[in-house]
Amino acid sequence: MAPRPPLDTPPAATRADVVRWIERDRAVAVVRTDEPEKLVEIARALQAGGVACFEVTMTVPNAIEGIQAVTEAMRGSVLVGAGSVTDAETAQRAVEAGARYVVSPVFKPEVVEAAHALDAAAMPGCFTPTEILTAYEAGADVVKVFPAGALGPGFVRGVLAPLPYLKLMPTGGVSLDNAAEWLRAGAVAVGAGSALVATDAVAAGDWGRLTANARRLRASVDAA
């Protein structure tokens, strides 16, 4: 399966463009690695398999520099974001380095505000319906349901029944094969981490395996 062509969104794209890209691709790669020098190769391998939304978490050593490296190397063929962001200063630094969206494991209004100040999309993490709605009312562009594996697709379906206008992205518990279940429940996208970016494959430099993983995830997403 050939990768989908990128949207015509330059690095200075608006956050509305970013949300449209995520809603179109419907899959975000959540990248955690102890080998930041391999981030560009990881991004290339995933993009070759059809996953073009690439989130570098702040748990990666020198993550800000890694975001900049991927942004410069890929030149708009992937949509680069920052993950595990929990403070406004980090959000600002990540966006200035090239991140077009900021993802958090929790909801902190100041992180949303910092991202929006630089026209980047904000995707805070929430676990309850009240938290999700509060984040939406604070301006969240997409709400990351986390950890989604503890809740299941039925939770997404249940929340959207009375609140159908929410944009939800379950993360944590999404596998290469069950993405379609979350999307059929109403999620606009899914975040996939270790199941997609396998630590042992990265350690071995097995980029073909990452591309194959991305194709599996792409097939599950497209099945929805």
Side-chain angles (χ1 to χ4, degrees):
M1 182 184 297
R4 294 182 175 189
L7 299 180
D8 292 327
T9 39
T14 68
R15 75 178 205 254
D17 292 329
V18 171
V19 173
R20 280 193 291 270
W21 187 325
I22 290 172
E23 288 184 297
R24 181 205 64 173
D25 276 20
R26 309 190 81 186
V28 175
V30 182
V31 182
R32 300 184 187 277
T33 178
D34 293 328
E35 301 181 86
E37 69 278 5
K38 294 181 177 179
L39 283 171
V40 172
E41 292 298 331
I42 295 170
R44 286 176 176 151
L46 296 177
Q47 196 266 351
V51 176
C53 297
F54 189 82
E55 174 191 328
V56 179
T57 68
M58 291 301 105
T59 59
V60 175
N62 302 313
I64 299 298
E65 291 82 357
I67 288 170
Q68 183 173 0
V70 174
T71 299
E72 292 175 353
M74 302 302 289
R75 296 190 180 279
S77 64
V78 298
L79 185 67
V80 183
S84 302
V85 178
T86 57
D87 63 88
E89 180 183 357
T90 301
Q92 179 178 341
R93 291 177 59 218
V95 175
E96 290 173 346
R100 296 305 304 131
Y101 56 100
V102 175
V103 187
S104 305
V106 295
F107 167 51
K108 297 184 74 173
E110 59 267 33
V111 174
V112 175
E113 293 165 6
H116 287 178
L118 295 172
D119 204 20
M123 303 165 64
C126 300
F127 191 72
T128 69
T130 298
E131 201 176 16
I132 290 169
L133 183 60
T134 302
Y136 167 80
E137 291 174 343
D141 299 282
V142 175
V143 176
K144 168 183 170 178
V145 179
F146 177 79
L151 299 167
F155 176 83
V156 171
R157 187 178 294 107
V159 169
L160 291 175
L163 305 168
Y165 47 83
L166 296 174
K167 297 180 188 296
L168 304 182
M169 184 182 76
T171 305
V174 176
S175 73
L176 299 180
D177 301 313
N178 72 5
E181 298 175 30
W182 296 98
L183 296 171
R184 291 190 187 109
V188 299
V190 294
S194 58
L196 176 62
V197 190
T199 302
D200 57 343
V202 173
D206 188 353
W207 310 128
R209 181 176 163 195
L210 293 194
T211 297
N213 285 351
R215 286 178 176 148
R216 270 180 66 188
L217 178 63
R218 181 85 263 153
S220 181
V221 167
D222 290 344

